[in-house]
Amino acid sequence: MHMQLLPDDTVVMFDRTDTGRSNISLPDGSRCTTDCTAHSVLFHLYSSSVRPLTVLTDTWCSSGTLLANGTLLQTGGFKDGDRVIRFFSPSPHSDWVELPSYLAVRRWYASNQILPDGRVIIIGGRRQFSGEFFPRDQYSASPVFQLPFLVETYDRESEGNLYPFLHLLPDGTLFVFANDRAIVLDVASKRAIRRLPAILDGPRSYPSTASSVLLPLRPGAAAEVLVCGGAPLGSYQAALNGTFLPALSSCARIKPSDPEPSWSMEDMPLARVMGDMVLLPTCHVIIVNGAAAGTAGWELAREPVLYPVLYQPDLPEGTRFSVLRESQIPRMYHSTAVLDTHGRVLVGGSNPHSSYKFTDVMFPTELSLEAFYPPYLLTAAEDRPRVLAAPAEVGYGERVAVRFLLAEHFHRPWLQELEDVEVVAVSPAFQTHSVGMNQRVVVLETSRTLGHSGGYETEVMTPPSPAVSPPGYYLWFVVHEGVPSKGVWVRIG
């Protein structure tokens, strides 16, 4: 149900705690009472081993953020977990640490976004029309601020504004999308300073569950938000009554800072609800998982979409989409997908039931994990750049060197200057319910790439401000002619 890549090349994964006993036992001496099975695990990318973790309170439909120090902050959930915050710090023997009643109100189906000062804003949740911060705002009379926008976007039949899409814009303001519309929020004053037009084709927030990304940020270019898929108005009630309406095939792009912003519409080759959008180091977007009919919710979708779709935002309209190789495993409600250090897309989950069901159902609870190889990984391994040296930690607006190796250097040692090289910083997402919280790609400004006896070196300018790249750990990829290296971890800020 939830996944986050961590800066030690592990992936923390967790479900809810009230679905029933899992198939993984906690070790002897664990802090458990009646249920001593694991509802969270740590997956090691290089060994494919799994270590069970102990989560004590219910994390169902919760939210998360990777903090600047590399610790995962995990917020909210259900019942005994709805006001809890949890921490998981990467280390060989670490486990979940929980702080009960830290949140001012219950946060179930809320969204998080890290801010330029390293704080985290937490917005929404079921029948919560407000936001709050971690750490708490010590100078405010109340830890909670009201957000009338969430009242405006509330639908009595399906709520329609859960898991809002949050994107930090490069000027430090916050893009907030719920139901079928968006605002730009000034975080300091906690007020909407811009209202954006409604999107066409109806609601896109849970349970109509589209997916959204902030398209890769390039030096000097305006920020742009992409929203794809979803379910038309009325889909939730129709599915409850046994009618599964076709999902939406439309995508919409908007530049929130334009003087007169408007949504630019285009169609995917496959309609999809509950898709997961993952930003790739090539600055493309891959869309995986989901269904072609119905909506989010227990057993409320049909027709799994097995084919991933690649979206190339810089191509002309009408040529941006391509359909990729299919999976054999339906990934329905409660599926996830994240980019890993190798440049693969890890895909897991799918449990559209209120408990674990492995037989005699249309879409059984799925326990497998897949790695999808984007087209650039079809390139021979020796043709991928290999990073030799990159800084472990950088500030803002600094010039730093990145050294890398390329096979053609040995074939053409006389080549002194290399063309078509980019260095891209990727902030990994906390992924749940088709929402990639804090997911971000920043293309770094590069100078000439020169060859020498040990390979190539390029000088890059680090991000200009924490509004462009909030403080924290990023995967830096060297991309040559559209083929990325493996990522290396760099702490920014």
Side-chain angles (χ1 to χ4, degrees):
M1 191 183 296
H2 315 80
M3 282 206 291
Q4 171 75 61
L5 176 67
L6 300 174
D8 63 348
D9 294 326
T10 60
V11 183
V12 64
M13 308 175 183
F14 53 99
D15 195 27
R16 45 189 285 214
T17 62
D18 62 348
T19 313
R21 299 173 67 85
S22 79
N23 289 339
I24 301 176
S25 296
L26 292 171
D28 292 340
S30 297
R31 302 164 293 159
C32 61
T33 53
T34 55
D35 181 359
C36 288
T37 61
H39 300 283
S40 177
V41 297
L42 191 67
F43 176 76
H44 294 260
L45 288 180
Y46 288 95
S47 67
S48 293
S49 61
V50 170
R51 179 164 69 88
L53 303 174
T54 305
V55 62
L56 298 175
T57 55
D58 199 347
T59 50
W60 180 17
C61 298
S62 51
S63 50
T65 304
L66 198 64
L67 298 176
N69 65 359
T71 294
L72 174 62
L73 167 71
Q74 211 278 314
T75 52
F78 184 57
K79 289 187 176 177
D80 65 347
D82 61 8
R83 293 180 56 204
V84 175
I85 63 171
R86 307 167 191 86
F87 301 97
F88 186 83
S89 299
S91 68
H93 305 291
S94 59
D95 209 335
W96 287 102
V97 175
E98 305 194 22
L99 295 182
S101 302
Y102 185 94
L103 297 172
V105 298
R106 70 195 298 251
R107 298 291 175 191
W108 188 31
Y109 295 87
S111 295
N112 294 11
Q113 173 64 52
I114 192 168
L115 299 173
D117 59 7
R119 293 183 302 158
V120 176
I121 191 169
I122 307 159
I123 288 181
R126 292 203 67 179
R127 291 180 288 279
Q128 298 296 338
F129 311 109
S130 63
E132 59 185 290
F133 297 92
F134 171 85
R136 291 181 182 132
D137 190 343
Q138 301 295 328
Y139 301 101
S140 176
S142 170
V144 172
F145 67 91
Q146 298 304 310
L147 195 55
F149 172 70
L150 294 179
V151 178
E152 298 165 13
T153 52
Y154 180 76
D155 176 353
R156 289 182 180 275
E157 289 191 347
S158 64
E159 300 194 49
N161 63 358
L162 302 179
Y163 275 129
F165 302 140
L166 307 181
H167 300 298
L168 180 69
L169 300 177
D171 62 359
T173 58
L174 188 68
F175 175 94
V176 182
F177 182 101
N179 200 310
D180 65 351
R181 69 203 81 161
I183 59 170
V184 175
L185 182 73
D186 177 72
V187 175
S189 67
K190 308 178 185 70
R191 295 181 181 277
I193 57 173
R194 298 197 80 182
R195 291 184 174 272
L196 304 179
I199 200 170
L200 298 178
D201 296 341
R204 308 291 179 128
S205 297
Y206 185 100
S208 288
T209 307
S211 191
S212 175
V213 292
L214 178 69
L215 289 175
L217 297 173
R218 294 185 176 274
E224 196 165 4
V225 173
L226 174 70
V227 178
C228 283
L233 186 65
S235 294
Y236 182 72
Q237 288 299 321
L240 290 175
N241 294 325
T243 299
F244 304 95
L245 300 179
L248 298 174
S249 62
S250 60
C251 287
R253 291 170 62 160
I254 195 168
K255 295 179 180 178
S257 62
D258 272 3
E260 296 184 6
S262 61
W263 293 98
S264 174
M265 305 298 295
E266 52 192 319
D267 281 323
M268 298 185 289
L270 301 169
R272 192 183 307 249
V273 61
M274 299 183 293
D276 289 291
M277 294 172 70
V278 179
L279 293 171
L280 301 177
T282 52
C283 296
H284 301 156
V285 184
I286 194 166
I287 311 171
V288 297
N289 301 340
T295 184
W298 287 333
E299 302 172 12
L300 296 184
R302 298 291 187 271
E303 301 176 30
V305 182
L306 301 176
Y307 289 89
V309 169
L310 187 71
Y311 181 76
Q312 301 180 69
D314 294 332
L315 291 183
E317 187 175 342
T319 66
R320 294 171 179 158
F321 289 101
S322 53
V323 179
L324 304 178
R325 186 174 176 178
E326 68 178 319
S327 170
Q328 300 301 312
I329 303 173
R331 301 286 183 178
M332 306 293 277
Y333 189 43
H334 293 151
S335 300
T336 48
V338 296
L339 182 74
D340 76 2
T341 311
H342 302 288
R344 308 174 302 182
V345 178
L346 294 184
V347 179
S350 186
N351 184 27
H353 314 291
S354 59
S355 62
Y356 298 129
K357 293 186 178 181
F358 301 102
T359 58
D360 302 322
V361 290
M362 189 176 298
F363 302 112
T365 301
E366 181 56 59
L367 301 182
S368 69
L369 188 70
E370 295 176 281
F372 181 80
Y373 283 61
Y376 53 71
L377 288 181
L378 300 179
T379 303
E382 62 269 17
D383 293 330
R384 295 184 71 185
R386 180 161 65 90
V387 177
L388 299 174
E393 188 168 348
V394 298
Y396 293 102
E398 297 179 352
R399 289 197 177 276
V400 298
V402 176
R403 293 179 54 234
F404 63 97
L405 200 59
L406 206 60
E408 71 175 55
H409 178 74
F410 299 104
H411 303 311
R412 296 190 291 168
W414 62 87
L415 188 64
Q416 295 299 306
E417 185 170 356
L418 196 64
E419 301 291 337
D420 197 8
V421 174
E422 286 187 328
V423 179
V424 175
V426 179
S427 175
F430 177 87
Q431 192 79 21
T432 187
H433 290 80
S434 302
V435 181
M437 301 178 198
N438 313 289
Q439 184 174 205
R440 199 174 196 85
V441 167
V442 180
V443 180
L444 305 180
E445 184 180 329
T446 60
S447 61
R448 296 169 65 192
T449 300
L450 301 177
H452 53 77
S453 59
Y456 294 96
E457 182 173 297
T458 188
E459 190 177 71
V460 304
M461 180 71 76
T462 63
S465 73
V468 173
S469 294
Y473 283 87
Y474 290 72
L475 282 171
W476 282 23
F477 293 88
V478 173
V479 184
H480 174 241
E481 294 182 347
V483 179
S485 65
K486 290 183 180 179
V488 295
W489 290 100
V490 177
R491 187 177 181 180
I492 298 179

